[in-house]
Amino acid sequence: MIRYVVAVLLTVAILGLAGLAIDASTSDNGEREVRTAIADIETAAVQLAADEEISPRSHPNPQRVVELSIPKRSLTTEGVSHLEIEPIDDADASLARYVLTDGTTGREILERRIVYDDPTDDRPTVIGGTGRQTLRLVLRADENGEPIVVAESP
């Protein structure tokens, strides 16, 4: 009888420790996944600006389509409640900010200026929702004729 009691106590203790370990790693897993998505955006934007030129008006603009996997809350991963990319004033860079469902916040600098929808405006790109998301990056001319990466919803 004592063996059964000890076995049950050991099982409960092990499950309790496993639960704590899983809970402690959920935020790390969520951050890792959202940082991967941000890195995918940055890579596509940098390659687009480096490899392409602005098209004449009669031709379609060069673009890259990025398939993102934005984490949702699960047993092993914290989800993303907010993700945005804001262009930095007077710099060819952007700042990606995110908030996880547990309140964890983070920032990443992107090595390319990305604006939303209008190349003459400095609106941030807000990526809403979780799961598979698609973001189109288009190389267009700003008000000075300089190339700028514009994020568009597909």
Side-chain angles (χ1 to χ4, degrees), residues 69-96:
S69 178
I70 307 298
K72 60 182 173 183
R73 187 179 176 116
S74 70
L75 179 62
T76 59
T77 306
E78 284 296 334
V80 174
S81 63
H82 183 76
L83 172 59
E84 73 176 7
I85 301 170
E86 182 176 2
I88 298 174
D89 292 335
D90 301 322
D92 190 20
S94 298
L95 178 66

Side-chain angles (χ1 to χ4, degrees), residues 75-139:
L75 179 62
T76 59
T77 306
E78 284 296 334
V80 174
S81 63
H82 183 76
L83 172 59
E84 73 176 7
I85 301 170
E86 182 176 2
I88 298 174
D89 292 335
D90 301 322
D92 190 20
S94 298
L95 178 66
R97 288 191 291 250
Y98 59 88
V99 179
L100 300 181
T101 52
D102 70 348
T104 302
T105 62
R107 297 182 199 183
E108 294 284 324
I109 298 287
L110 281 71
E111 296 183 15
R112 192 70 198 166
R113 184 177 178 83
I114 301 172
V115 299
Y116 182 72
D117 196 41
D118 183 359
T120 61
D121 198 4
D122 285 342
R123 293 188 321 178
T125 304
V126 177
I127 300 170
T130 58
R132 304 297 286 169
Q133 303 286 329
T134 302
L135 183 67
R136 182 183 353 211
L137 301 176
V138 181
L139 190 65

